[in-house]
């Protein structure tokens, strides 16, 4: 996918604590061409996510430095609400590599009939900014930054979720 630093992916929530009171539907952001989404089929039973999810991203090509991941709950009406998110600054974007993006801790009960959606993007403005001293909107190499990740197979990217099914404690 490609990311234009002059047109960053926006944060949907006006107030970070608003996720608890009036969560924003993430679907408009996830419909953008510069946002990758991966959605599970509907789950047949309830289960809990307890702890920090980890996204292992197999990068083939990265012209930018930032990766943002978000996990959302897609309800039976198709509305999509954020559960947790995380950001990673890629220090060496010029080489293929596997990077580990740890999302924020959460405790969330996913209902039967709902789906999980993983969103991957290169920005989440203004929520995340690059490390101090970096310009969040410009890269000296290109105005359009290209990202390529590997999905599928043993060497592909994968999401590791801390699941608690009620009968045992999560790992």
């Amino acid at each position: 996918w490609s990311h234009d630093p002059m047109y960053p992916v926006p944060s949907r929530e006006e107030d970070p604590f608003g996720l608890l009171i009036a969560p924003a539907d993430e679907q408009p952001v996830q419909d953008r061409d510069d946002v990758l989404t991966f959605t599970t089929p509907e789950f047949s039973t309830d289960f809990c996510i307890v702890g920090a999810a980890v996204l292992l991203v197999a990068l083939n090509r990265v012209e930018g430095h930032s990766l943002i991941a978000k996990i959302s709950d897609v309800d039976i009406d198709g509305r999509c609400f954020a559960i947790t998110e995380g950001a990673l600054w890629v220090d060496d974007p010029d080489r293929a590599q596997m990077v580990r993006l740890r999302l924020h801790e959460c405790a969330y009960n996913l209902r039967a009939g709902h789906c999980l959606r993983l969103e991957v993007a290169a920005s989440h403005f203004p929520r995340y900014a690059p490390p101090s001293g970096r310009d969040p909107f410009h890269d000296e190499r290109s105005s359009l930054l290209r990202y390529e990740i590997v999905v599928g197979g043993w060497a592909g990217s994968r999401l590791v979720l801390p699941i608690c099914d009620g009968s045992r404690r999560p790992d």
Side-chain angles (χ1 to χ4, degrees):
W1 84 96
S2 297
H3 168 67
D4 185 345
M6 296 306 294
Y7 187 56
V9 176
S11 301
R12 291 282 297 153
E13 70 280 351
E14 294 177 19
D15 175 359
F17 296 107
L19 294 174
L20 302 172
I21 301 166
D25 186 354
E26 298 290 330
Q27 191 65 46
V29 167
Q30 295 170 348
D31 286 340
R32 291 173 51 125
D33 290 339
D34 58 349
V35 176
L36 297 179
T37 59
F38 304 90
T39 307
T40 68
E42 292 179 2
F43 290 98
S44 58
T45 60
D46 292 1
F47 68 91
C48 294
I49 301 170
V50 180
V54 174
L55 179 62
L56 299 168
V57 186
L59 298 171
N60 263 358
R61 175 182 179 168
V62 180
E63 292 178 351
H65 288 274
S66 58
L67 285 174
I68 312 297
K70 186 183 299 181
I71 299 173
S72 300
D73 177 353
V74 182
D75 70 15
I76 57 176
D77 296 323
R79 295 174 301 175
C80 187
F81 302 101
I83 297 171
T84 186
E85 63 192 32
L88 174 70
W89 187 257
V90 180
D91 291 324
D92 187 5
D94 295 322
R95 67 179 178 87
Q97 60 185 303
M98 179 72 79
V99 296
R100 183 178 187 272
L101 195 164
R102 186 175 190 272
L103 285 74
H104 300 295
E105 300 271 342
C106 72
Y108 190 84
N109 185 28
L110 194 79
R111 302 280 185 198
H114 289 219
C115 305
L116 278 179
R117 180 170 295 151
L118 172 65
E119 171 188 324
V120 181
S123 61
H124 188 331
F125 183 79
R127 185 82 171 250
Y128 293 104
S132 179
R134 304 279 186 157
D135 183 341
F137 303 109
H138 298 92
D139 186 289
E140 58 279 0
R141 291 175 286 182
S142 171
S143 61
L144 191 64
L145 306 176
R146 301 196 189 287
Y147 288 72
E148 182 181 310
I149 66 172
V150 178
V151 295
W154 289 103
S157 303
R158 58 195 170 276
L159 178 64
V160 181
L161 289 173
I163 303 297
C164 178
D165 65 9
S167 63
R168 62 179 177 80
R169 295 182 56 88
D171 297 332

